[in-house]
Amino acid sequence: MFEDDGYVIFRDVIDPALIKEVNDHVAWLQARHPDVRPEQLGHVYLRDDPFWVRLVSDDRLLDIASQFVGPDLALFASHYISKPPYSGQPVLWHQDAAFWPLDPMKVVTLWLAVDHSTPENGCVRVIPGSHRSGVAGMRDNTEVESVLGKEIAVEVDESKAIDMVLAPGDVEVHHPNIVHGSNANTSPNRRCGLTIRYIPTSTRITDPEVPYPSAFHLRGEPGVNSYQPRPTYVEGTHFPFSGSSAWV
């Protein structure tokens, strides 16, 4: 299904207790960065955050990622996109591969649902099979306030779009070339998800910043990249979480 459609959904991956911590972590991040829109809590905040690294290192997520990119895993980037009620910004149609400094473009995205994700609150939408058509150019779009500020530079047949309806703890997996996006959240319900971009350690991060702010070695052989050190938990400084004593 993934090879044909470019996406697949895994249900009930992360347990409710950890999802509760993720919710609390999002609130903690928003309180620490009040000037940052909640759709933009991205990888630059990850480097010194033990809980975030603990979350993306969860074996349940790594086991899924390894099905797509192999046993030697690193994190490339991760990003909360939390769309607030009534004012959550859309993500215009795009392909992830158009943005990323990776060589080769061997990477997989896991999208962890923190909230119920529905058409009403701006769930992810994908164009099945569009990953097989190569990577198109991007163009700026300043007419709509959006998360990326850009959109794919070709027409998208929205009649083919499939809504990724997810419950908290579900994981949607998609190919870097699939055309996807999401509508604005005009509902009374927040829509929060965590994107996690896993690469095989044979994929090189070509960004000039070395190590990349969110490059972490997670499993298997370290491969070709330099990585950030595993952050140490400091009580009173970092988000408190279950198992934090193992990160001291």
mmCIF file of all heavy atoms in Angstrom, residues 85-121:
data_model
loop_
_atom_site.group_PDB
_atom_site.id
_atom_site.type_symbol
_atom_site.label_atom_id
_atom_site.label_comp_id
_atom_site.label_asym_id
_atom_site.label_seq_id
_atom_site.Cartn_x
_atom_site.Cartn_y
_atom_site.Cartn_z
ATOM 1 N N PRO A 85 -7.648 26.555 17.917
ATOM 2 C CA PRO A 85 -9.047 26.669 17.481
ATOM 3 C C PRO A 85 -9.310 27.984 16.763
ATOM 4 O O PRO A 85 -8.756 29.032 17.129
ATOM 5 C CB PRO A 85 -9.829 26.600 18.801
ATOM 6 C CG PRO A 85 -8.926 25.937 19.771
ATOM 7 C CD PRO A 85 -7.535 26.321 19.370
ATOM 8 N N TYR A 86 -10.105 27.918 15.721
ATOM 9 C CA TYR A 86 -10.605 29.069 14.967
ATOM 10 C C TYR A 86 -9.557 29.794 14.125
ATOM 11 O O TYR A 86 -9.917 30.452 13.159
ATOM 12 C CB TYR A 86 -11.287 30.088 15.902
ATOM 13 C CG TYR A 86 -12.432 29.516 16.694
ATOM 14 C CD1 TYR A 86 -12.363 29.428 18.080
ATOM 15 C CD2 TYR A 86 -13.594 29.055 16.058
ATOM 16 C CE1 TYR A 86 -13.407 28.894 18.825
ATOM 17 C CE2 TYR A 86 -14.642 28.513 16.779
ATOM 18 C CZ TYR A 86 -14.546 28.429 18.167
ATOM 19 O OH TYR A 86 -15.571 27.896 18.881
ATOM 20 N N SER A 87 -8.264 29.698 14.484
ATOM 21 C CA SER A 87 -7.256 30.516 13.799
ATOM 22 C C SER A 87 -6.059 29.706 13.311
ATOM 23 O O SER A 87 -5.054 30.291 12.909
ATOM 24 C CB SER A 87 -6.756 31.621 14.747
ATOM 25 O OG SER A 87 -6.121 31.048 15.890
ATOM 26 N N GLY A 88 -6.137 28.381 13.344
ATOM 27 C CA GLY A 88 -5.007 27.560 12.916
ATOM 28 C C GLY A 88 -4.731 27.717 11.434
ATOM 29 O O GLY A 88 -5.639 27.653 10.596
ATOM 30 N N GLN A 89 -3.482 27.933 11.097
ATOM 31 C CA GLN A 89 -3.119 28.212 9.707
ATOM 32 C C GLN A 89 -3.126 26.948 8.852
ATOM 33 O O GLN A 89 -2.831 25.848 9.344
ATOM 34 C CB GLN A 89 -1.730 28.842 9.657
ATOM 35 C CG GLN A 89 -1.660 30.232 10.247
ATOM 36 C CD GLN A 89 -0.274 30.822 10.173
ATOM 37 O OE1 GLN A 89 0.716 30.108 9.960
ATOM 38 N NE2 GLN A 89 -0.161 32.128 10.353
ATOM 39 N N PRO A 90 -3.420 27.088 7.564
ATOM 40 C CA PRO A 90 -3.314 25.943 6.653
ATOM 41 C C PRO A 90 -1.860 25.651 6.302
ATOM 42 O O PRO A 90 -0.976 26.495 6.485
ATOM 43 C CB PRO A 90 -4.076 26.417 5.411
ATOM 44 C CG PRO A 90 -3.857 27.906 5.398
ATOM 45 C CD PRO A 90 -3.860 28.316 6.855
ATOM 46 N N VAL A 91 -1.635 24.458 5.804
ATOM 47 C CA VAL A 91 -0.369 24.088 5.171
ATOM 48 C C VAL A 91 -0.700 23.863 3.700
ATOM 49 O O VAL A 91 -1.454 22.947 3.363
ATOM 50 C CB VAL A 91 0.241 22.808 5.800
ATOM 51 C CG1 VAL A 91 1.569 22.475 5.117
ATOM 52 C CG2 VAL A 91 0.445 22.987 7.304
ATOM 53 N N LEU A 92 -0.183 24.720 2.822
ATOM 54 C CA LEU A 92 -0.536 24.633 1.408
ATOM 55 C C LEU A 92 0.090 23.388 0.782
ATOM 56 O O LEU A 92 1.043 22.816 1.305
ATOM 57 C CB LEU A 92 -0.079 25.904 0.690
ATOM 58 C CG LEU A 92 -0.606 27.226 1.290
ATOM 59 C CD1 LEU A 92 -0.114 28.415 0.476
ATOM 60 C CD2 LEU A 92 -2.127 27.227 1.381
ATOM 61 N N TRP A 93 -0.459 22.976 -0.352
ATOM 62 C CA TRP A 93 0.009 21.756 -1.019
ATOM 63 C C TRP A 93 1.518 21.837 -1.273
ATOM 64 O O TRP A 93 2.017 22.837 -1.790
ATOM 65 C CB TRP A 93 -0.720 21.553 -2.346
ATOM 66 C CG TRP A 93 -2.184 21.252 -2.218
ATOM 67 C CD1 TRP A 93 -3.218 22.060 -2.586
ATOM 68 C CD2 TRP A 93 -2.765 20.054 -1.691
ATOM 69 N NE1 TRP A 93 -4.411 21.435 -2.319
ATOM 70 C CE2 TRP A 93 -4.167 20.209 -1.779
ATOM 71 C CE3 TRP A 93 -2.244 18.871 -1.163
ATOM 72 C CZ2 TRP A 93 -5.059 19.226 -1.352
ATOM 73 C CZ3 TRP A 93 -3.125 17.888 -0.731
ATOM 74 C CH2 TRP A 93 -4.510 18.066 -0.824
ATOM 75 N N HIS A 94 2.218 20.782 -0.928
ATOM 76 C CA HIS A 94 3.677 20.775 -1.095
ATOM 77 C C HIS A 94 4.189 19.345 -1.069
ATOM 78 O O HIS A 94 3.446 18.400 -0.764
ATOM 79 C CB HIS A 94 4.359 21.587 0.016
ATOM 80 C CG HIS A 94 4.260 20.943 1.362
ATOM 81 N ND1 HIS A 94 3.095 20.935 2.107
ATOM 82 C CD2 HIS A 94 5.179 20.261 2.112
ATOM 83 C CE1 HIS A 94 3.294 20.291 3.245
ATOM 84 N NE2 HIS A 94 4.554 19.864 3.268
ATOM 85 N N GLN A 95 5.474 19.202 -1.385
ATOM 86 C CA GLN A 95 6.209 17.945 -1.228
ATOM 87 C C GLN A 95 7.386 18.219 -0.305
ATOM 88 O O GLN A 95 8.160 19.153 -0.528
ATOM 89 C CB GLN A 95 6.710 17.446 -2.593
ATOM 90 C CG GLN A 95 5.608 17.055 -3.567
ATOM 91 C CD GLN A 95 6.152 16.902 -4.976
ATOM 92 O OE1 GLN A 95 6.588 17.881 -5.579
ATOM 93 N NE2 GLN A 95 6.136 15.686 -5.498
ATOM 94 N N ASP A 96 7.560 17.418 0.715
ATOM 95 C CA ASP A 96 8.645 17.647 1.666
ATOM 96 C C ASP A 96 10.012 17.641 0.988
ATOM 97 O O ASP A 96 10.908 18.413 1.362
ATOM 98 C CB ASP A 96 8.625 16.558 2.747
ATOM 99 C CG ASP A 96 7.413 16.655 3.651
ATOM 100 O OD1 ASP A 96 6.824 17.753 3.768
ATOM 101 O OD2 ASP A 96 7.047 15.620 4.249
ATOM 102 N N ALA A 97 10.192 16.774 -0.003
ATOM 103 C CA ALA A 97 11.500 16.624 -0.643
ATOM 104 C C ALA A 97 11.973 17.914 -1.306
ATOM 105 O O ALA A 97 13.177 18.083 -1.544
ATOM 106 C CB ALA A 97 11.457 15.499 -1.674
ATOM 107 N N ALA A 98 11.053 18.841 -1.592
ATOM 108 C CA ALA A 98 11.434 20.105 -2.214
ATOM 109 C C ALA A 98 12.203 21.011 -1.254
ATOM 110 O O ALA A 98 12.859 21.966 -1.685
ATOM 111 C CB ALA A 98 10.191 20.835 -2.722
ATOM 112 N N PHE A 99 12.164 20.713 0.048
ATOM 113 C CA PHE A 99 12.748 21.609 1.050
ATOM 114 C C PHE A 99 14.024 21.071 1.690
ATOM 115 O O PHE A 99 14.793 21.854 2.253
ATOM 116 C CB PHE A 99 11.743 21.834 2.197
ATOM 117 C CG PHE A 99 10.505 22.593 1.812
ATOM 118 C CD1 PHE A 99 9.344 21.921 1.473
ATOM 119 C CD2 PHE A 99 10.498 23.978 1.818
ATOM 120 C CE1 PHE A 99 8.194 22.620 1.140
ATOM 121 C CE2 PHE A 99 9.354 24.678 1.487
ATOM 122 C CZ PHE A 99 8.196 24.006 1.146
ATOM 123 N N TRP A 100 14.248 19.789 1.690
ATOM 124 C CA TRP A 100 15.181 19.204 2.654
ATOM 125 C C TRP A 100 16.593 19.008 2.117
ATOM 126 O O TRP A 100 16.778 18.503 0.998
ATOM 127 C CB TRP A 100 14.645 17.859 3.129
ATOM 128 C CG TRP A 100 13.424 17.994 3.971
ATOM 129 C CD1 TRP A 100 12.951 19.128 4.568
ATOM 130 C CD2 TRP A 100 12.504 16.956 4.307
ATOM 131 N NE1 TRP A 100 11.814 18.857 5.260
ATOM 132 C CE2 TRP A 100 11.507 17.545 5.124
ATOM 133 C CE3 TRP A 100 12.434 15.591 4.012
ATOM 134 C CZ2 TRP A 100 10.454 16.798 5.646
ATOM 135 C CZ3 TRP A 100 11.389 14.849 4.532
ATOM 136 C CH2 TRP A 100 10.397 15.457 5.337
ATOM 137 N N PRO A 101 17.619 19.356 2.925
ATOM 138 C CA PRO A 101 19.023 19.166 2.533
ATOM 139 C C PRO A 101 19.499 17.740 2.820
ATOM 140 O O PRO A 101 20.295 17.503 3.738
ATOM 141 C CB PRO A 101 19.750 20.204 3.413
ATOM 142 C CG PRO A 101 18.944 20.235 4.676
ATOM 143 C CD PRO A 101 17.512 20.034 4.235
ATOM 144 N N LEU A 102 19.021 16.807 2.033
ATOM 145 C CA LEU A 102 19.338 15.389 2.234
ATOM 146 C C LEU A 102 19.844 14.780 0.932
ATOM 147 O O LEU A 102 19.312 15.070 -0.145
ATOM 148 C CB LEU A 102 18.101 14.618 2.702
ATOM 149 C CG LEU A 102 17.496 15.029 4.050
ATOM 150 C CD1 LEU A 102 16.200 14.269 4.309
ATOM 151 C CD2 LEU A 102 18.482 14.816 5.188
ATOM 152 N N ASP A 103 20.847 13.929 1.039
ATOM 153 C CA ASP A 103 21.410 13.249 -0.128
ATOM 154 C C ASP A 103 21.830 11.827 0.261
ATOM 155 O O ASP A 103 22.739 11.661 1.071
ATOM 156 C CB ASP A 103 22.612 14.027 -0.654
ATOM 157 C CG ASP A 103 23.203 13.407 -1.918
ATOM 158 O OD1 ASP A 103 22.438 12.737 -2.664
ATOM 159 O OD2 ASP A 103 24.404 13.570 -2.148
ATOM 160 N N PRO A 104 21.160 10.812 -0.319
ATOM 161 C CA PRO A 104 19.988 10.871 -1.198
ATOM 162 C C PRO A 104 18.729 11.201 -0.393
ATOM 163 O O PRO A 104 18.775 11.245 0.843
ATOM 164 C CB PRO A 104 19.917 9.456 -1.765
ATOM 165 C CG PRO A 104 20.480 8.600 -0.665
ATOM 166 C CD PRO A 104 21.581 9.414 -0.042
ATOM 167 N N MET A 105 17.607 11.424 -1.083
ATOM 168 C CA MET A 105 16.352 11.769 -0.429
ATOM 169 C C MET A 105 15.669 10.491 0.091
ATOM 170 O O MET A 105 14.539 10.169 -0.234
ATOM 171 C CB MET A 105 15.428 12.527 -1.395
ATOM 172 C CG MET A 105 14.226 13.187 -0.716
ATOM 173 S SD MET A 105 14.606 14.307 0.645
ATOM 174 C CE MET A 105 15.527 15.598 -0.201
ATOM 175 N N LYS A 106 16.421 9.770 0.913
ATOM 176 C CA LYS A 106 15.906 8.567 1.563
ATOM 177 C C LYS A 106 15.510 8.988 2.971
ATOM 178 O O LYS A 106 16.364 9.249 3.829
ATOM 179 C CB LYS A 106 16.990 7.490 1.588
ATOM 180 C CG LYS A 106 16.559 6.170 2.220
ATOM 181 C CD LYS A 106 15.694 5.354 1.284
ATOM 182 C CE LYS A 106 15.462 3.948 1.873
ATOM 183 N NZ LYS A 106 14.466 3.193 1.110
ATOM 184 N N VAL A 107 14.219 9.111 3.232
ATOM 185 C CA VAL A 107 13.710 9.663 4.482
ATOM 186 C C VAL A 107 12.241 9.278 4.580
ATOM 187 O O VAL A 107 11.577 9.057 3.560
ATOM 188 C CB VAL A 107 13.888 11.205 4.501
ATOM 189 C CG1 VAL A 107 13.234 11.850 3.277
ATOM 190 C CG2 VAL A 107 13.348 11.837 5.781
ATOM 191 N N VAL A 108 11.732 9.173 5.792
ATOM 192 C CA VAL A 108 10.311 8.902 5.952
ATOM 193 C C VAL A 108 9.773 9.801 7.063
ATOM 194 O O VAL A 108 10.472 10.083 8.046
ATOM 195 C CB VAL A 108 10.046 7.409 6.268
ATOM 196 C CG1 VAL A 108 10.520 7.028 7.673
ATOM 197 C CG2 VAL A 108 8.576 7.051 6.073
ATOM 198 N N THR A 109 8.544 10.287 6.878
ATOM 199 C CA THR A 109 7.889 11.112 7.890
ATOM 200 C C THR A 109 6.873 10.291 8.648
ATOM 201 O O THR A 109 6.012 9.641 8.045
ATOM 202 C CB THR A 109 7.184 12.315 7.251
ATOM 203 O OG1 THR A 109 8.165 13.192 6.687
ATOM 204 C CG2 THR A 109 6.366 13.083 8.273
ATOM 205 N N LEU A 110 6.966 10.330 9.980
ATOM 206 C CA LEU A 110 5.920 9.816 10.847
ATOM 207 C C LEU A 110 5.192 11.018 11.435
ATOM 208 O O LEU A 110 5.827 11.923 11.995
ATOM 209 C CB LEU A 110 6.488 8.942 11.976
ATOM 210 C CG LEU A 110 6.697 7.455 11.653
ATOM 211 C CD1 LEU A 110 7.666 7.246 10.508
ATOM 212 C CD2 LEU A 110 7.139 6.699 12.906
ATOM 213 N N TRP A 111 3.882 11.029 11.300
ATOM 214 C CA TRP A 111 3.048 12.129 11.806
ATOM 215 C C TRP A 111 2.239 11.568 12.965
ATOM 216 O O TRP A 111 1.311 10.787 12.770
ATOM 217 C CB TRP A 111 2.136 12.645 10.689
ATOM 218 C CG TRP A 111 1.555 14.018 10.886
ATOM 219 C CD1 TRP A 111 2.023 15.179 10.356
ATOM 220 C CD2 TRP A 111 0.394 14.366 11.648
ATOM 221 N NE1 TRP A 111 1.234 16.230 10.749
ATOM 222 C CE2 TRP A 111 0.228 15.757 11.540
ATOM 223 C CE3 TRP A 111 -0.519 13.636 12.424
ATOM 224 C CZ2 TRP A 111 -0.818 16.442 12.170
ATOM 225 C CZ3 TRP A 111 -1.553 14.317 13.055
ATOM 226 C CH2 TRP A 111 -1.695 15.704 12.917
ATOM 227 N N LEU A 112 2.638 11.941 14.193
ATOM 228 C CA LEU A 112 1.992 11.435 15.399
ATOM 229 C C LEU A 112 0.846 12.360 15.790
ATOM 230 O O LEU A 112 1.060 13.547 16.047
ATOM 231 C CB LEU A 112 3.015 11.347 16.540
ATOM 232 C CG LEU A 112 2.462 11.053 17.941
ATOM 233 C CD1 LEU A 112 1.811 9.675 18.000
ATOM 234 C CD2 LEU A 112 3.568 11.178 18.986
ATOM 235 N N ALA A 113 -0.357 11.809 15.841
ATOM 236 C CA ALA A 113 -1.521 12.601 16.235
ATOM 237 C C ALA A 113 -1.525 12.800 17.749
ATOM 238 O O ALA A 113 -1.507 11.837 18.510
ATOM 239 C CB ALA A 113 -2.808 11.913 15.793
ATOM 240 N N VAL A 114 -1.536 14.064 18.157
ATOM 241 C CA VAL A 114 -1.660 14.408 19.569
ATOM 242 C C VAL A 114 -3.128 14.636 19.923
ATOM 243 O O VAL A 114 -3.578 14.300 21.013
ATOM 244 C CB VAL A 114 -0.815 15.658 19.886
ATOM 245 C CG1 VAL A 114 -0.883 16.013 21.363
ATOM 246 C CG2 VAL A 114 0.633 15.446 19.455
ATOM 247 N N ASP A 115 -3.879 15.211 18.990
ATOM 248 C CA ASP A 115 -5.322 15.422 19.122
ATOM 249 C C ASP A 115 -6.053 14.551 18.103
ATOM 250 O O ASP A 115 -5.438 14.007 17.176
ATOM 251 C CB ASP A 115 -5.684 16.882 18.816
ATOM 252 C CG ASP A 115 -5.016 17.882 19.726
ATOM 253 O OD1 ASP A 115 -4.803 17.554 20.911
ATOM 254 O OD2 ASP A 115 -4.713 18.998 19.251
ATOM 255 N N HIS A 116 -7.364 14.488 18.233
ATOM 256 C CA HIS A 116 -8.180 13.966 17.139
ATOM 257 C C HIS A 116 -7.986 14.898 15.937
ATOM 258 O O HIS A 116 -8.045 16.122 16.060
ATOM 259 C CB HIS A 116 -9.653 13.908 17.534
ATOM 260 C CG HIS A 116 -9.970 12.795 18.484
ATOM 261 N ND1 HIS A 116 -10.181 11.495 18.062
ATOM 262 C CD2 HIS A 116 -10.065 12.778 19.831
ATOM 263 C CE1 HIS A 116 -10.413 10.722 19.108
ATOM 264 N NE2 HIS A 116 -10.348 11.475 20.199
ATOM 265 N N SER A 117 -7.725 14.309 14.803
ATOM 266 C CA SER A 117 -7.430 15.065 13.585
ATOM 267 C C SER A 117 -8.521 14.755 12.572
ATOM 268 O O SER A 117 -8.684 13.597 12.156
ATOM 269 C CB SER A 117 -6.046 14.658 13.061
ATOM 270 O OG SER A 117 -5.631 15.473 12.000
ATOM 271 N N THR A 118 -9.278 15.776 12.181
ATOM 272 C CA THR A 118 -10.471 15.600 11.348
ATOM 273 C C THR A 118 -10.501 16.663 10.251
ATOM 274 O O THR A 118 -9.782 17.663 10.325
ATOM 275 C CB THR A 118 -11.744 15.740 12.205
ATOM 276 O OG1 THR A 118 -11.850 17.111 12.656
ATOM 277 C CG2 THR A 118 -11.724 14.804 13.417
ATOM 278 N N PRO A 119 -11.362 16.482 9.249
ATOM 279 C CA PRO A 119 -11.491 17.539 8.239
ATOM 280 C C PRO A 119 -11.902 18.878 8.849
ATOM 281 O O PRO A 119 -11.495 19.941 8.357
ATOM 282 C CB PRO A 119 -12.569 16.992 7.305
ATOM 283 C CG PRO A 119 -12.465 15.505 7.441
ATOM 284 C CD PRO A 119 -12.125 15.261 8.879
ATOM 285 N N GLU A 120 -12.672 18.843 9.934
ATOM 286 C CA GLU A 120 -13.164 20.085 10.530
ATOM 287 C C GLU A 120 -12.039 20.905 11.161
ATOM 288 O O GLU A 120 -12.081 22.140 11.131
ATOM 289 C CB GLU A 120 -14.230 19.768 11.596
ATOM 290 C CG GLU A 120 -15.548 19.250 11.042
ATOM 291 C CD GLU A 120 -15.453 17.819 10.517
ATOM 292 O OE1 GLU A 120 -14.628 17.035 11.051
ATOM 293 O OE2 GLU A 120 -16.196 17.496 9.565
ATOM 294 N N ASN A 121 -11.033 20.230 11.752
ATOM 295 C CA ASN A 121 -9.979 21.010 12.415
ATOM 296 C C ASN A 121 -8.667 21.029 11.634
ATOM 297 O O ASN A 121 -7.634 21.415 12.157
ATOM 298 C CB ASN A 121 -9.768 20.554 13.873
ATOM 299 C CG ASN A 121 -9.200 19.153 14.001
ATOM 300 O OD1 ASN A 121 -8.945 18.476 13.011
ATOM 301 N ND2 ASN A 121 -9.015 18.706 15.241
#
